[in-house]
Amino acid sequence: MIEAKGLTKHYGSKLAVNQLSFSVRPGVVTGFLGPNGAGKSTTMRMIVGLDAPDAGDVTVNGRHYHDLPWPLHEVGALLEAKAIHPGRSARAHLQMLAESNHIGLKRVDEVLEVVGLSAVARQRAGKFSLGMSQRLGIAATLLGNPEVMLFDEPVNGLDPDGIRWVRNLLRGLAREGRTIFVSSHLMSEMALTADEVVIIGRGCLIAQIPIDQLLAQSSQRYVRVRSPELAALKTALELAGATTVLEEDGSLSVRGPDEIAIGELAASIPVVLHELAPQSASLEEAFMELTEDSIEYHGGSGTAPVQSPEGAK
Ligand code: ADP
């Protein structure tokens, strides 16, 4: 369990994180979403004591990170994949971490195997691609078999197979009852990985919400309707206050009433229906709606909050 209460952090005059409160439960994957510069990395650094909050507090399993006697046994964190001594081999890097936390060397080989780096374990980490560095960072996160794990943009630099692998790994770790907190700017990926999301913008909490609920409440949600008497139904729906769009494929997209209300209205006319299919919004659309007012850096396109202008960080 991670609990943040009123977390606040300035860098000079820049307010990076503003009175942020949220909790990350065990047993689920919690996604950490926000436009670029929203304060996700700063928040994660505060969780593991790499940055000190100016105000507020964050605890892991009820304790501050710096009070944990053997931190790697309780919290694993992948924050900067490239933050590895370049001259050290992958195995030596993990070995050093293991020794400093009383972890046996057998575990080093185990985690190298889990992340698929056994064959290159003796190569210098400085020569690793971003994807390989991410795998090494994940190995370090798993090393102490901790109950709480943080991952800052773990799929950056991974190919589609690697991305699927990370998704399955995180979901599996959550199923084991661990607390998994993962940031990403890839909305579609988060929709497949996370059960719940903490959404921030300009350092402030916008929402903490289960993904299903986020999608259900979006105004982008609509119902696709097909009928041999579409004109009559369209008129009745608009009179009842719905917004309708006649699509090129001959279906009617209806926003406002849900499928139950549309079905009942059709029966009351009566009009025969050939299709009545609720369509959920994409997470990207739902996210854009929530963060519209809190985009710090606009990219060239309308999808600025989703694709960070810097791409991979
Ligand atoms: P995110 O991870 O959501 O992209 P960050 O936590 O990296 O956001 O950054 C939040 C804000 O704080 C940004 O405006 C960023 O420029 C600023 N910031 C982050 N780290 C530093 C730092 N070390 N010094 C000054 N400003 C920083």
Side-chain angles (χ1 to χ4, degrees), residues 6-20 37-39 42 46 54-55 201-204 296:
L7 267 188
T8 300
K9 176 74 189 173
H10 293 83
Y11 291 110
S13 59
K14 169 89 204 171
L15 181 56
V17 174
N18 188 3
Q19 296 186 29
L20 190 58
T42 303
M46 288 192 281
D54 300 330
R202 292 185 186 273
C204 298
E296 180 154 25

Side-chain angles (χ1 to χ4, degrees), residues 37-90:
K40 302 183 296 296
S41 300
T42 303
T43 302
M44 286 192 157
R45 284 201 301 272
M46 288 192 281
I47 297 172
V48 294
L50 291 174
D51 260 336
D54 300 330
D57 198 28
V58 60
T59 55
V60 178
N61 292 339
R63 289 195 290 175
H64 295 116
Y65 185 85
H66 53 73
D67 291 335
L68 302 174
W70 303 109
L72 291 192
H73 293 272
E74 299 198 44
V75 189
L78 166 63
L79 298 187
E80 281 283 343
K82 281 287 182 189
I84 301 167
H85 189 297
R88 220 171 251 153
S89 73

Side-chain angles (χ1 to χ4, degrees), residues 120-192:
V120 293
R122 289 175 198 280
Q123 287 179 19
R124 284 156 43 126
K127 300 250 184 248
F128 279 9
S129 67
L130 179 57
M132 287 161 83
S133 303
Q134 294 281 29
R135 285 176 184 265
L136 181 54
I138 292 171
T141 307
L142 299 174
L143 195 61
N145 204 11
E147 196 214 304
V148 177
M149 298 188 191
L150 316 180
F151 301 89
D152 197 3
E153 303 269 1
V155 301
N156 270 351
L158 294 182
D159 58 18
D161 262 357
I163 291 174
R164 201 170 319 119
W165 171 76
V166 171
R167 182 192 311 152
N168 290 335
L169 177 76
L170 299 188
R171 296 204 59 79
L173 290 166
R175 267 199 307 276
E176 290 169 12
R178 295 176 212 261
T179 303
I180 306 296
F181 194 37
V182 52
S183 79
S184 176
H185 65 283
L186 300 171
M187 299 304 123
S188 49
E189 181 47 36
M190 201 83 314
L192 295 171

Side-chain angles (χ1 to χ4, degrees), residues 38-291:
K40 302 183 296 296
S41 300
T42 303
T43 302
M44 286 192 157
R45 284 201 301 272
M46 288 192 281
I47 297 172
V48 294
L50 291 174
D51 260 336
D54 300 330
D57 198 28
V58 60
T59 55
V60 178
N61 292 339
R63 289 195 290 175
H64 295 116
Y65 185 85
H66 53 73
D67 291 335
L68 302 174
W70 303 109
L72 291 192
H73 293 272
E74 299 198 44
V75 189
L78 166 63
L79 298 187
E80 281 283 343
K82 281 287 182 189
I84 301 167
H85 189 297
R88 220 171 251 153
S89 73
R91 193 166 192 282
H93 170 70
L94 294 175
Q95 208 168 326
M96 178 206 68
L97 290 174
E99 279 165 4
S100 66
N101 272 262
H102 286 228
I103 296 167
L105 292 184
K106 192 165 149 271
R107 180 68 183 156
V108 168
D109 293 321
E110 266 172 33
V111 295
L112 282 165
E113 188 68 39
V114 170
V115 302
L117 288 181
S118 298
V120 293
R122 289 175 198 280
Q123 287 179 19
R124 284 156 43 126
K127 300 250 184 248
F128 279 9
S129 67
L130 179 57
M132 287 161 83
S133 303
Q134 294 281 29
R135 285 176 184 265
L136 181 54
I138 292 171
T141 307
L142 299 174
L143 195 61
N145 204 11
E147 196 214 304
V148 177
M149 298 188 191
L150 316 180
F151 301 89
D152 197 3
E153 303 269 1
V155 301
N156 270 351
L158 294 182
D159 58 18
D161 262 357
I163 291 174
R164 201 170 319 119
W165 171 76
V166 171
R167 182 192 311 152
N168 290 335
L169 177 76
L170 299 188
R171 296 204 59 79
L173 290 166
R175 267 199 307 276
E176 290 169 12
R178 295 176 212 261
T179 303
I180 306 296
F181 194 37
V182 52
S183 79
S184 176
H185 65 283
L186 300 171
M187 299 304 123
S188 49
E189 181 47 36
M190 201 83 314
L192 295 171
T193 309
D195 305 287
E196 186 164 323
V197 281
V198 172
I199 303 178
I200 64 170
R202 292 185 186 273
C204 298
L205 183 72
I206 295 174
Q208 169 157 19
I209 187 170
I211 294 249
D212 294 351
Q213 202 178 319
L214 174 64
L215 297 180
Q217 75 177 30
S218 169
S219 65
Q220 299 298 323
R221 193 178 172 277
Y222 67 97
V223 182
R224 191 172 62 218
V225 180
R226 287 179 201 275
S227 164
E229 301 153 272
L230 209 53
L233 182 61
K234 185 174 186 307
T235 306
L237 281 165
E238 285 170 359
L239 279 173
T243 308
T244 66
V245 177
L246 193 55
E247 305 291 351
E248 278 179 12
D249 66 1
S251 69
L252 192 67
S253 295
V254 183
R255 288 184 171 78
D258 63 9
E259 60 279 12
I260 297 169
I262 297 169
E264 290 188 354
L265 181 71
S268 74
I269 297 175
V271 155
V272 170
L273 294 182
H274 286 176
E275 185 178 3
L276 183 62
Q279 309 291 308
S280 63
S282 67
L283 180 61
E284 191 168 320
E285 287 166 333
F287 172 81
M288 299 260 288
E289 250 179 83
L290 277 174
T291 57

